[in-house]
């Protein structure tokens, strides 16, 4: 009897970064806690994992990240105060984040790069495929990406990354993929990867955005990955090795770690680590909210026509 592949249930969220682009707001508050309308940015990311069926969430944190743990935990004092007042709707909002997922935390200690943060998840993840979600990337909840990536992983095995076409002058801000087409219009096979290339060295304009579904073999590679761009252990470099091994062994029977595929995303994505994009995310999501949208849009229209 053949065993069906393990179902993906675990999500890893690296959250040890210092958030220097948002100083002074992030001096004493983790950048992940900055509100997008009225929810901290990180809650959207956990909700996205849960919506894709991953309700075991490991956050890789560091010093000064206690508010993250508190946000996803119960707050009995606040809950009983709201219950006493009979404020059911706010009570539900407070309880929502603690009921979302089973949360786990591990500390990165020494911030040695994204690859190193992912490696910190190895003892928790074990030998199953798992997802990685970067907190700075906010994917609009109406444009599901992770579900599609999980589906593609279930079909092809190996690892799956999220790709987005960007303008050539933007490529140096991202990991960049060399790809070839597959039978599915939104799926490509990744033949090579380079982290933040100079424009002349970019193999394409397919940029990696912060969603990954990874084969656990990535841990074995990360343990041996030398610091790369910026002196950091890069996840992109480890994925490049996975892709290269698969390409070279493609004809052989042993395909350690499996292929690397890319899902090409054409939906709405905001880089909440960038101040301009953070503001755009707030305006857009606020406009679309049933409770706030109508008034806010009316004000925005008059502001734009009268003041700008
Ligand atoms: C990281 C990855 C990069 C990827 C990006 C997506 O870079 O190293 O390959 O394109 O996330 O947001 P960072 O933005 O953390 O420097």
């Amino acid at each position: 009897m053949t065993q069906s592949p393990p179902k993906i249930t675990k999500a890893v969220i690296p959250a040890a970064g210092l958030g220097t682009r948002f100083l002074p707001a992030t001096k004493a508050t983790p950048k992940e806690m900055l509100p997008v309308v009225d929810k901290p940015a990180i809650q959207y990311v956990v909700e996205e994992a849960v919506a894709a069926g991953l309700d075991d969430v490991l956050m890789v944190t560091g010093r000064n990240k206690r508010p993250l743990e508190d946000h996803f935990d119960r707050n009995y004092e606040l809950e009983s105060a709201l219950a006493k007042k009979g404020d059911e709707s706010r009570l539900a909002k407070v309880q929502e984040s603690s009921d979302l997922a089973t949360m786990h935390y591990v500390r990165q200690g020494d911030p040695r790069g994204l690859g190193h943060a992912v490696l910190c998840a190895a003892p928790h993840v074990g030998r199953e495929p798992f997802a990685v979600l970067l907190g700075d990337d906010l994917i609009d909840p109406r444009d599901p990406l992770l579900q599609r990536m999980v589906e593609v992983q279930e079909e092809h095995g190996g690892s799956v990354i999220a790709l987005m076409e960007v303008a050539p002058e933007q490529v140096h801000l991202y990991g960049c993929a060399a790809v070839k087409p597959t039978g599915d219009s939104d799926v490509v096979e990744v033949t090579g990867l380079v982290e933040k290339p100079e424009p002349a060295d970019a193999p394409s304009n397919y940029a990696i955005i912060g969603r990954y579904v990874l084969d656990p073999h990535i841990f074995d590679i990360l343990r041996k990955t030398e610091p790369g761009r910026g002196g950091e252990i890069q996840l992109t470099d480890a994925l490049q090795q996975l892709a290269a091994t698969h390409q070279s062994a493609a004809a052989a029977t042993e395909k350690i770690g499996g292929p690397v595929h890319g899902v090409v995303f054409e939906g709405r994505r905001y880089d909440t680590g960038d101040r301009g994009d953070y503001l755009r995310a707030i305006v857009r999501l606020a406009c679309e909210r049933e409770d706030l949208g109508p008034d806010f849009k009316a004000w925005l229209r008059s502001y734009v026509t009268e003041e700008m």
Side-chain angles (χ1 to χ4, degrees), residues 21 31 113-115 134-137 162-163 171-176 193-197 206-212 229 232-237 239 269 271:
R21 287 190 280 180
K31 64 171 174 173
L114 177 58
L134 305 190
D136 281 348
D137 283 293
L163 296 173
V171 173
H172 72 282
L173 300 170
Y174 298 94
C176 179
L193 286 160
V194 35
E195 178 67 7
K196 306 205 173 94
Y206 283 108
I208 305 177
I209 53 174
R211 299 293 179 270
Y212 309 78
R229 188 130 197 124
E232 298 191 334
I233 298 173
Q234 296 292 351
L235 180 59
T236 305
D237 293 347
L239 278 161
R269 169 229 178 220
D271 175 3

Side-chain angles (χ1 to χ4, degrees), residues 197-237:
E198 300 300 328
D201 303 329
S204 72
N205 63 337
Y206 283 108
I208 305 177
I209 53 174
R211 299 293 179 270
Y212 309 78
V213 177
L214 300 173
D215 181 275
H217 191 72
I218 197 83
F219 295 131
D220 308 331
I221 298 177
L222 281 169
R223 279 188 197 99
K224 295 185 217 138
T225 302
E226 298 287 334
R229 188 130 197 124
E232 298 191 334
I233 298 173
Q234 296 292 351
L235 180 59
T236 305
D237 293 347

Side-chain angles (χ1 to χ4, degrees), residues 102-180:
T102 309
M103 303 298 299
H104 306 270
Y105 301 89
V106 61
R107 280 203 182 204
Q108 193 177 358
D110 211 5
R112 289 163 56 204
L114 177 58
H116 177 247
V118 171
L119 189 53
C120 293
H124 179 79
V125 168
R127 300 306 295 180
E128 300 164 23
F130 64 104
V132 173
L133 294 86
L134 305 190
D136 281 348
D137 283 293
L138 202 152
I139 304 293
D140 195 292
R142 290 158 304 169
D143 298 325
L145 167 63
L146 196 56
Q147 278 100 317
R148 179 69 183 132
M149 295 173 71
V150 168
E151 249 172 55
V152 171
Q153 200 279 340
E154 283 167 357
E155 188 185 338
H156 296 278
S159 300
V160 181
I161 61 178
L163 296 173
M164 190 181 73
E165 286 197 74
V166 298
E169 60 275 16
Q170 298 270 300
V171 173
H172 72 282
L173 300 170
Y174 298 94
C176 179
V179 301
K180 57 184 189 196

Side-chain angles (χ1 to χ4, degrees), residues 23 79 104 128 188 190 210 257 260 294:
L23 282 169
E79 285 177 44
H104 306 270
E128 300 164 23
V188 289
V190 175
V260 180

